Each structure stands twice: as C-alpha cells, then as structure tokens.
Amino acid sequence: GNSVTQMEGPVTLSEEAFLTINCTYTATGYPSLFWYVQYPGEGLQLLLKATKADDKGSNKGFEATYRKETTSFHLEKGSVQVSDSAVYFCALSATGNQFYFGTGTSLTVIP
Amino acid sequence: NAGVTQTPKFQVLKTGQSMTLQCAQDMNHEYMSWYRQDPGMGLRLIHYSVGAGITDQGEVPNGYNVSRSTTEDFPLRLLSAAPSQTSVYFCASSPGTGWSYEQYFGPGTRLTVT
C-alpha cells in the first residue's frame, strides 16, 4: 500500500540554524512527492514538489530531493527564520486519485 | 480568484444533529476532496470527486455523505453527529486527476460535537 512516515516533532531551532525534516515513503508505482506547510489557523499550502526520481523541488530556500533508492524525500533549509515556524507535512500521490499525508512535524524557530 | 472557500469556520453541534459543511472553488478544478485533521494523525481522506456527478469514498467515509452537482461546489454532510467527528475539516481541489497535480486547500472548518 501507500504510506508516508515523517519524523516526529516538535522541532525547536534557533534562527539561522540548519533544518532537516525526514520523510520516507512506501508506494506502488511511481509516486509524486510533496511538502506542504500549515501556518497556525490556516489551511495547507504547497511548499514544493517532485514528480520523478532524482528531481529536486525548491521554494523559499527549502529543498527536497526525490530519492527512489532510499524511498526518501527529506526537507532541508540552510538557515531558518522565525517566520518558518509552522507544521510541515510530507505527502505522496500515486495510483488512483488519493493523497497520503504524513502526521506532520511542528517547527518552532526562536530568535 | 478566491481559491477554495469553506463555511462555516467554526461550528458546535450536539450529538445526533446533522449539518452540511460547504466548500466551493472558483478555479474550474476537476478534482475535489474532503479531509479531516486530527492530532497526531495527519490528514485523512473522507470522500473525493473527480468531476460533477462522480464521488467516491476515501479512508474514513463512515458518517459522512457528499454529492457533486456542479464543478464548483462539494458539500460534506454529517448525518448524525458523534463526538468522534470532532475535528478540523479541510476541503481541497486540484486541476487534474493525475498524480503529479498538487492540491489547493481551503482554510478549514473546526467542528466540535458535544
């Protein structure tokens, strides 16, 4: 079946620290992979995506590379800001019309 | 474009009451879906639709009904509310049904069932 596993939080970092949020997946076929971000009281917003192996998605300083050999799609940012505080969701879309989400990782960045 | 809109933002129901959560999108998207978000469980798919007149069940459909009479609207009906349905509900839409398309989310409805 299809599933996503992401690192549990919460994660607390100081401003300008390096961020990694791990995400691994299980899927039938060749999925597309996504990172979504949810700010307090809001819906989810697409942060970045990759649709095939070795693709790198990037946006707002965040990056993630689709690694088929390790079934991973880890989210990274070189220098986090207070405004990056949010909940981050890894997700996949494979066969059929369904998305599968991880449980979310809460990030707090302190000045 | 307003994107995906949901009403109401907050709702409190008593056990056994029924209600409809509204969802609309103005992007002419084919695909629409409903999720519930519970602490520690991420988002779980309730129902989805690949076009007007076509709906299907997701992972957790029990206790919920949907219909899709127009491209724009996709209401979610709770037939007889239960405390286990206390959750935050998100509607989403997507321009296509292929798996490379991202989903666009509404702001959510926070439902409490007492």
Side-chain angles (χ1 to χ4, degrees), chain A residues 43-55:
Chain A
L44 279 71
Q45 304 172 25
L46 178 69
L47 182 59
L48 52 84
K49 73 175 188 181
T51 58
K52 60 184 188 297
D54 299 325
D55 266 4

Side-chain angles (χ1 to χ4, degrees), chain A residues 38-45, chain B residues 2-11 19-24 33-37 43 46 76 87-93 104-112:
Chain A
Q38 184 181 32
Y39 298 103
E42 298 184 10
L44 279 71
Q45 304 172 25
Chain B
V4 179
T5 57
Q6 292 182 238
T7 55
K9 289 184 73 71
F10 301 95
Q11 183 70 50
M19 79 159 295
T20 299
L21 307 185
Q22 302 292 344
C23 173
S33 55
W34 276 101
Y35 294 87
R36 59 178 290 172
Q37 183 180 28
L43 276 77
I46 305 171
L76 177 73
S87 187
V88 181
Y89 291 85
F90 289 101
C91 180
S93 72
Y104 296 77
F105 284 82
T109 294
R110 185 174 293 276
L111 176 68
T112 302

Side-chain angles (χ1 to χ4, degrees), chain A residues 30-34 36 38 41-46 49 51 87 89 92-104, chain B residues 9 31 35 37 40-45 48 50 57-59 90 94 96-108:
Chain A
Y30 302 95
S32 292
L33 301 173
F34 305 81
Y36 281 83
Q38 184 181 32
E42 298 184 10
L44 279 71
Q45 304 172 25
L46 178 69
K49 73 175 188 181
T51 58
V87 180
F89 291 91
L92 72 82
S93 178
T95 56
N97 296 294
Q98 298 193 23
F99 264 57
Y100 299 85
F101 286 86
T103 53
Chain B
K9 289 184 73 71
Y31 181 91
Y35 294 87
Q37 183 180 28
M41 303 194 72
L43 276 77
R44 292 181 292 168
L45 182 66
Y48 65 95
V50 299
Q57 297 181 351
E59 181 185 355
F90 289 101
S94 179
T97 55
W99 61 83
S100 65
Y101 290 102
E102 65 263 32
Q103 296 200 40
Y104 296 77
F105 284 82

Side-chain angles (χ1 to χ4, degrees), chain A residues 17-106:
Chain A
F18 185 86
L19 169 70
T20 300
I21 301 178
N22 290 339
C23 172
T24 57
Y25 68 89
T26 302
T28 53
Y30 302 95
S32 292
L33 301 173
F34 305 81
W35 277 101
Y36 281 83
V37 59
Q38 184 181 32
Y39 298 103
E42 298 184 10
L44 279 71
Q45 304 172 25
L46 178 69
L47 182 59
L48 52 84
K49 73 175 188 181
T51 58
K52 60 184 188 297
D54 299 325
D55 266 4
K56 177 187 284 189
S58 61
N59 186 25
K60 299 180 182 179
F62 291 88
E63 293 183 339
T65 301
Y66 187 163
R67 302 280 189 205
K68 188 167 179 286
E69 63 276 12
T70 55
T71 62
S72 65
F73 192 55
H74 304 321
L75 182 68
E76 297 181 335
K77 187 175 186 183
S79 175
V80 293
Q81 305 300 312
V82 172
S83 57
D84 294 326
S85 298
V87 180
Y88 293 82
F89 291 91
C90 185
L92 72 82
S93 178
T95 56
N97 296 294
Q98 298 193 23
F99 264 57
Y100 299 85
F101 286 86
T103 53
T105 302
S106 175

